[in-house]
Amino acid sequence: MASTLCRLIGVLILVNFAAVHARIPTTLDGPFPPVTVPFDQSLRGKAVDLPDTDPRVRRRVKGFEPEQISVALSFSFDSVWISWITGEFQIGYYIKPLNPKTVSSVVRYGTLRYPLSHKATGDSIVYNQLYPFQGLQNYTSGIIHHVRLTGLKPSTRYYYRCGDPAIAMSNIYSFTTMPVSGPRSYPSKIGIIGDLGLTYNSTTTINHLISNKPDLMLLVGDITYANQYLTNGTGSDCYSCSFPQTPIHETYQPRWDYWGRFMQNLVSKVPMMVIEGNHEIEEQAEGKKFVAYSSRFAFPSSESRSGSTFYYSYNAGGIHFIMLGAYAAYNKSAHQYKWLERDLAEVDRSITPWLIAAWHPPWYSSYKAHYREVECMRQEMEELLYSYGVDIVFTGHVHAYERSNRVYNYTLDPCGPVHIMVGDGGNREKMAIEHADAPGNCPEPSTTPDKFMGGFCATNFTFGPAAGKFCWDRQPDFSAFRESSFGHGILEVKNETWALWTWYRNQDARYKSGDQIYIVRQPDKCPNLPGKTKLWSAAR
């Protein structure tokens, strides 16, 4: 009787799993043969920026009332950052920065809308974008405030107002804290976007993302594309094509303010975590770079002990996120690498089973654009990430979507991470549609390195189907799915071993998926991953 019952239970589990499997594939079924979705010529391969007259980007507050309000995570559930801007930016040949000391940084917050019983204070800064060249306009920001709230409860809605009580406070907003870290505790939905910009396509991406109701957002670099403009506000889809003679790569910093105003409706409620991309470099006087990026956002740099805005880590329930900087030194003797070693060594996979990494330029992409551009970073860091069993890697940079099979060192490997490239947020540069494996598309190797990152590491493959060549002559085995469309992704971690990844295309109905797969961890097969694999079908 007992044995019959056990067999019946086993059959029911298999039937249940088969039903789930029939609907959505899993990485257990892989590796998958490569799939390319042909480019739809009817789509807008180019995107148009919102003008400064669009009501969604115009200043809607007066005086020193707060605007561009946003929430970011600290290292753990019990703390978040609230950021905002007061006062108006200035742009011109003669500018006078505002004095941050004239406006205080205060957040009133609590679990009830009235009264907001807690108070936190923080710091404020003003940054400048200066150009020592005749005819170029300088910029100085409004006052940027960052306040860290501490002592918060997990999975709890908090209401808050920010500003200076003696001058002006914002309306009341709310956010929900992350779940407590643990193997059965996860945010419901995590939105993943990259290379967003501020175009009409970008607005569609964000509107679709909002409809999916994310609890957390990751933006994997290339945020506003303010550096597609001259300081006089003239923009182009291709800066180097339109403005080849400028003495320095200019930017039009008000685009950052426009972007912050447009995004406030979402990021004042949903925490957003960002990492730098190449469009955030924005070089200015005295060789300063990444000033807007490092000033405008709050980062858990001190909490994760990185001390840098270019790389840091944080927990969201049972997920440990590592944000890495491709535009900061990453070699084995660099601070970033040593910090990464320490951070990985301290991860307890019994508490945060999922290990997810994100940075801007992809290590695995089959598109011609930026092909093998960051090979040096891959060669320095991939082995370390693999040895600690990173599960998923999110990147952007290439303006298309691509999902890999599990891969390590260009070899299909069941213990390698799934690399997902989401550089398709909708920015004004052209969509990437050409593949490096198409006839005549393979780049000259010497043209592939990124000048800012330096180094040349991409040489001909020495093994596998592409041995002796710089490019594959067909879609690479590591590339499971690729498509040139604008969109966003949603990650839903179900338990300690199963997570559902869904990619949504802007041209589709809001709830129709363009790509979907269960990503399954196998700690029983991969020794760096503790614990046992559990079927998602059995966990529901």
Side-chain angles (χ1 to χ4, degrees):
M1 180 69 179
S3 61
T4 302
L5 181 60
C6 288
R7 285 196 298 272
L8 179 60
I9 292 172
V11 168
L12 289 174
I13 290 174
L14 288 173
V15 169
N16 192 20
F17 172 72
V20 173
H21 171 74
R23 292 196 301 271
I24 301 171
T26 84
T27 52
L28 298 176
D29 307 319
F32 300 94
V35 172
T36 298
V37 177
F39 177 61
D40 185 347
Q41 297 290 342
S42 68
L43 297 177
R44 287 182 292 175
K46 295 171 63 177
V48 179
D49 269 342
L50 270 63
D52 57 9
T53 56
D54 191 294
R56 291 169 290 184
V57 305
R58 293 182 65 84
R59 192 167 189 260
R60 297 184 293 274
V61 299
K62 298 179 180 180
F64 286 88
E65 295 175 356
E67 64 161 349
Q68 303 180 50
I69 300 167
S70 64
V71 183
L73 299 184
S74 184
F75 184 79
S76 57
F77 70 85
D78 58 354
S79 180
V80 304
W81 287 92
I82 306 294
S83 302
W84 69 95
I85 294 180
T86 54
E88 296 190 57
F89 68 78
Q90 303 166 55
I91 187 165
Y93 302 109
Y94 305 101
I95 56 175
K96 183 180 180 181
L98 297 172
N99 181 359
K101 295 181 180 179
T102 60
V103 182
S104 62
S105 307
V106 176
V107 176
R108 298 275 189 184
Y109 65 100
T111 55
L112 300 176
R113 183 181 290 269
Y114 301 106
L116 299 174
S117 55
H118 300 285
K119 174 184 176 182
T121 60
D123 300 314
S124 59
I125 58 171
V126 166
Y127 82 88
N128 303 313
Q129 189 79 17
L130 304 176
Y131 297 106
F133 302 101
Q134 186 175 2
L136 271 62
Q137 298 186 70
N138 297 315
Y139 171 94
T140 184
S141 71
I143 301 172
I144 301 169
H145 306 260
H146 299 300
V147 175
R148 185 182 174 202
L149 314 187
T150 59
L152 307 179
K153 299 176 181 178
S155 303
T156 301
R157 170 165 289 188
Y158 282 87
Y159 299 90
Y160 73 96
R161 301 178 72 187
C162 58
D164 183 336
I167 300 176
M169 295 291 284
S170 72
N171 293 329
I172 296 177
Y173 298 89
S174 68
F175 64 87
T176 300
T177 53
M178 291 294 103
V180 66
S181 290
R184 297 174 182 82
S185 179
Y186 300 95
S188 296
K189 294 183 179 181
I190 302 169
I192 314 289
I193 53 176
D195 300 71
L196 186 61
L198 188 57
T199 69
Y200 291 99
N201 277 326
S202 309
T203 64
T204 302
T205 300
I206 293 302
N207 288 339
H208 283 204
L209 176 62
I210 290 173
S211 70
N212 274 314
K213 299 180 180 179
D215 303 300
L216 173 64
M217 277 177 54
L218 270 65
L219 204 173
V220 292
D222 284 3
I223 300 166
T224 69
Y225 287 79
N227 72 338
Q228 292 297 111
Y229 288 78
L230 301 179
T231 62
N232 64 11
T234 302
S236 172
D237 296 342
C238 175
Y239 185 97
S240 60
C241 306
S242 300
F243 316 121
Q245 303 301 322
T246 55
I248 192 172
H249 192 129
E250 302 176 32
T251 78
Y252 188 62
Q253 289 293 295
R255 298 296 302 183
W256 280 95
D257 296 282
Y258 303 162
W259 190 89
R261 291 165 187 161
F262 172 75
M263 291 293 289
Q264 177 178 302
N265 181 51
L266 174 60
V267 299
S268 60
K269 308 179 185 76
V270 178
M272 178 180 66
M273 309 304 289
V274 301
I275 199 66
E276 83 280 0
N278 55 299
H279 282 274
E280 282 71 70
I281 296 173
E282 298 186 323
E283 185 176 3
Q284 58 168 300
E286 300 178 352
K288 294 180 180 179
K289 304 178 180 72
F290 296 102
V291 177
Y293 162 81
S294 295
S295 301
R296 288 178 176 268
F297 299 108
F299 306 89
S301 303
S302 60
E303 301 98 284
S304 62
R305 295 183 295 170
S306 78
S308 173
T309 61
F310 301 125
Y311 48 92
Y312 58 91
S313 66
Y314 54 96
N315 292 333
I319 310 169
H320 185 70
F321 284 98
I322 298 173
M323 312 290 274
L324 296 178
Y327 303 92
Y330 45 66
N331 55 291
K332 291 180 175 61
S333 62
H335 181 271
Q336 178 175 199
Y337 190 94
K338 295 181 182 301
W339 166 81
L340 178 59
E341 284 184 307
R342 293 194 302 269
D343 190 83
L344 289 168
E346 293 173 359
V347 175
D348 185 342
R349 300 300 280 269
S350 68
I351 297 175
T352 52
W354 287 86
L355 186 53
I356 297 176
W359 57 85
H360 184 58
W363 291 354
Y364 291 95
S365 168
S366 59
Y367 282 81
K368 180 180 179 181
H370 306 298
Y371 180 71
R372 300 183 69 187
E373 181 179 274
V374 70
E375 185 71 2
C376 291
M377 182 187 182
R378 186 193 69 80
Q379 292 183 17
E380 290 287 342
M381 290 186 144
E382 186 176 29
E383 182 179 4
L384 178 61
L385 295 177
Y386 177 81
S387 70
Y388 278 93
V390 168
D391 300 298
I392 308 172
V393 171
F394 290 110
T395 59
H397 199 41
V398 178
H399 301 159
Y401 171 77
E402 188 164 17
R403 171 177 54 81
S404 80
N405 284 303
R406 289 193 175 277
V407 61
Y408 168 64
N409 194 27
Y410 292 105
T411 302
L412 299 181
D413 187 319
C415 295
V418 175
H419 288 253
I420 300 176
M421 184 181 77
V422 287
D424 59 339
N427 70 83
R428 71 173 296 167
E429 290 185 322
K430 293 180 179 179
M431 187 181 291
I433 60 175
E434 295 184 329
H435 304 119
D437 48 87
N441 274 0
C442 186
E444 162 60 36
S446 63
T447 66
T448 58
D450 181 277
K451 294 180 181 179
F452 184 84
M453 289 184 283
F456 177 68
C457 303
T459 56
N460 288 353
F461 293 104
T462 58
F463 57 88
K469 303 174 184 178
F470 191 67
C471 301
W472 292 60
D473 55 12
R474 57 177 172 81
Q475 185 172 354
D477 291 341
F478 66 75
S479 175
F481 184 97
R482 64 187 183 186
E483 180 176 352
S484 298
S485 291
F486 293 128
H488 75 281
I490 294 288
L491 181 69
E492 302 172 69
V493 178
K494 303 299 184 179
N495 58 37
E496 60 266 41
T497 53
W498 283 69
L500 177 63
W501 166 254
T502 309
W503 175 62
Y504 296 93
R505 309 187 309 173
N506 282 3
Q507 67 265 32
D508 292 332
R510 293 191 177 186
Y511 303 108
K512 178 183 177 182
S513 62
D515 181 39
Q516 192 170 51
I517 189 168
Y518 276 108
I519 299 173
V520 185
R521 298 175 58 247
Q522 294 183 277
D524 53 337
K525 288 188 176 181
C526 303
N528 292 307
L529 306 180
K532 299 287 186 179
T533 302
K534 178 189 292 185
L535 292 182
W536 158 229
S537 56
R540 288 186 300 173

